[in-house]
Amino acid sequence: MDLQLNTYYTLICAALVLLLGKWLVGHLRWLANFNIPEPVAGGLVAAVLCYALNVLLGYRLGFDVDLQTAFMLVFFSSIGLSANFTKLKQGGRALLLFLLVIAVYIGVQNGVGVTLASLLGLDPLVGLIAGSMTLLGGHGTAGAWGSVLERDHGIQGAMTLGMACATFGLIIGGLVGGPLAKWLIRRHQLQGPQVTPADADNLVEADAYNFESPRKTRLITTDATIETLALFAGCLAFAQLMTALTAGASFQLPTFVWALAGGVLIRNTLDYVFRFKVFDRAIDVFGNAALSIYLAIALLSLKLWELADLAGPLVIILAAQTVVMLAYVALVTFRVMGRDYDAAVLCAGNCGFGMGATPTAVANMQAITNQYGPSHKAFLIVPMVGAFFIDLLNAVFLQTFIKFLG
């Protein structure tokens, strides 16, 4: 029996998941020790309960997908609205270096998927589904490319398969990022910056590093809230318009990329053309809230029975992808990015979007920096690379692989 919850009940459930996650991380020491993000902790418990309802009583709970999408778009809009050109310039060489590391990883991830799919007797295109199409691209990219593979290449069930792989990646990305970063910090005896209460207040007031200190109090006003809501509305309208205009084009971008691009365009136009000061603290509050609620609904919506039905060969591919990602992040990302504390936090983010999504990457980094101290470099680089540049690179890689394999 299907039970579809409307918008209000979905929002209530998401809030309960976040409160549960906060309680679990606060009371179960091993969750805190492994730096598991609160939305992931609460969301996995909720997903297991939904699975139990399905197995024992035959109930299948459904949640408002449109609400999940809306909060996802708000989160990516907040990244764009936080990224003025001055910040991008601050990223400099490190941003380009990290982008190169991720570009190589996209090729590795697809190479592993295609090779194992061929060895296991599957269509090589199935290897792409268990590669960057879903693991690095997430549910949005999985849905967009799944329909293309079904329609143009005869891969039956590609969309369902893609959603299952993306679900697996979301779980793994949220579970392994924190522990790996903590292991690197301990193994190499790294230390985060020592932050005094006064420094923490200055960080909040600096309006420079959104998402870095989600637990700090942000002082915002009614006028700033209204202005910020207008900015988000502009980003979402731009995303909707560009998605409609580019529909059917040979090169398409997911809607959330347009939301981020709209944020960058609006922010820098206001900064450098109209000299209008954007209120970063309000963007930070909205962005962090949207991030938490999106992750809660995404994990609530996990259909674990779909993962249970995955074929054996696909489980082998996904398990191999997990091992390869951990090895690549520890041996390549960490070393190339400097073998320091910032590099370890970047590794947590790399695991988040390497197997899951950019919101998972940010949550992973927050779990680390809440314990060990801030990492300005990581919170400057990961949101932009993970949310914007990666999707452009991934689209190019996927089109190349499909053309070659097709």
Side-chain angles (χ1 to χ4, degrees):
M1 181 183 296
D2 292 327
L3 295 178
Q4 184 66 35
L5 301 184
N6 64 21
T7 301
Y8 305 119
Y9 288 107
T10 298
L11 191 56
I12 291 171
C13 290
L16 292 175
V17 164
L18 294 175
L19 292 174
L20 174 62
K22 183 177 181 179
W23 184 88
L24 288 172
V25 173
H27 288 78
L28 298 180
R29 179 167 305 215
W30 64 272
L31 288 175
N33 288 341
F34 284 102
N35 300 103
I36 303 301
E38 293 173 1
V40 174
L44 285 179
V45 172
V48 171
L49 291 176
C50 291
Y51 179 70
L53 283 175
N54 176 259
V55 172
L56 299 177
L57 302 176
Y59 290 111
R60 289 180 294 183
L61 292 181
F63 298 91
D64 191 338
V65 178
D66 292 336
L67 185 65
Q68 175 186 339
T69 302
F71 279 109
M72 178 186 70
L73 294 178
V74 169
F75 167 71
F76 283 107
S77 297
S78 70
I79 295 176
L81 289 170
S82 302
N84 61 7
F85 291 140
T86 301
K87 290 185 186 179
L88 293 179
K89 186 177 179 180
Q90 289 174 2
R93 178 178 176 273
L95 189 149
L96 294 176
L97 195 60
F98 189 64
L99 185 60
L100 177 61
V101 169
I102 301 305
V104 174
Y105 176 67
I106 294 175
V108 170
Q109 193 172 63
N110 285 326
V112 170
V114 170
T115 300
L116 287 178
S118 300
L119 292 175
L120 293 169
L122 302 175
D123 190 314
L125 291 176
V126 173
L128 287 184
I129 298 176
S132 71
M133 187 179 296
T134 61
L135 301 181
L136 191 136
H139 288 81
T141 305
W145 283 98
S147 60
V148 172
L149 292 182
E150 288 183 354
R151 182 184 67 247
D152 299 336
H153 299 275
I155 306 297
Q156 297 301 317
M159 187 173 296
T160 301
L161 191 62
M163 291 300 172
C165 291
T167 298
F168 175 89
L170 188 66
I171 295 172
I172 296 300
L175 288 178
V176 303
L180 176 63
K182 184 168 186 175
W183 177 79
L184 289 171
I185 290 171
R186 288 187 169 183
R187 177 178 175 81
H188 297 278
Q189 299 180 344
L190 306 174
Q191 288 187 342
Q194 300 300 314
V195 180
T196 65
D199 292 333
D201 291 338
N202 291 334
L203 174 64
V204 174
E205 296 298 323
D207 293 342
Y209 302 105
N210 288 10
F211 307 110
E212 188 161 356
S213 301
R215 295 181 179 177
K216 297 297 181 182
T217 300
R218 264 69 167 175
L219 301 178
I220 62 176
T221 65
T222 302
D223 289 342
T225 301
I226 293 173
E227 291 171 359
T228 304
L229 284 173
L231 294 177
F232 279 112
C235 294
L236 300 183
F238 177 81
Q240 185 182 51
L241 174 64
M242 294 306 298
T243 300
L245 289 177
T246 58
S250 57
F251 186 83
Q252 300 182 48
L253 294 174
T255 303
F256 68 82
V257 177
W258 287 120
L260 185 146
V264 174
L265 179 64
I266 292 172
R267 171 60 187 265
N268 289 281
T269 300
L270 292 175
D271 277 350
Y272 299 106
V273 177
F274 295 100
R275 303 295 179 183
F276 178 82
K277 181 174 176 55
V278 176
F279 204 80
D280 282 284
R281 286 184 303 233
I283 294 172
D284 189 12
V285 170
F286 280 93
N288 274 299
L291 165 66
S292 296
I293 296 173
Y294 162 73
L295 284 176
I297 299 176
L299 290 164
L300 270 172
S301 303
L302 294 182
K303 295 179 175 60
L304 294 180
W305 51 90
E306 290 184 357
L307 287 180
D309 293 336
L310 285 176
L314 197 58
V315 172
I316 294 174
I317 297 175
L318 293 174
Q321 292 283 24
T322 303
V323 173
V324 169
M325 181 199 67
L326 291 172
Y328 186 89
V329 171
L331 298 176
V332 178
T333 303
F334 180 68
R335 295 184 178 185
V336 171
M337 297 310 299
R339 299 169 61 95
D340 56 9
Y341 174 71
D342 288 324
V345 180
L346 282 169
C347 288
N350 195 164
C351 290
F353 61 70
M355 289 291 289
T358 302
T360 310
V362 174
N364 283 350
M365 294 192 301
Q366 287 176 344
I368 293 295
T369 56
N370 283 340
Q371 180 175 353
Y372 293 101
S375 172
H376 302 338
K377 180 189 290 187
F379 279 89
L380 185 66
I381 292 174
V382 167
M384 287 301 297
V385 172
F388 186 65
F389 293 112
I390 272 184
D391 285 286
L392 295 175
L393 284 173
N394 199 20
V396 173
F397 270 88
L398 288 174
Q399 286 183 326
T400 303
F401 268 89
I402 288 175
K403 183 176 181 181
F404 177 75
L405 296 174

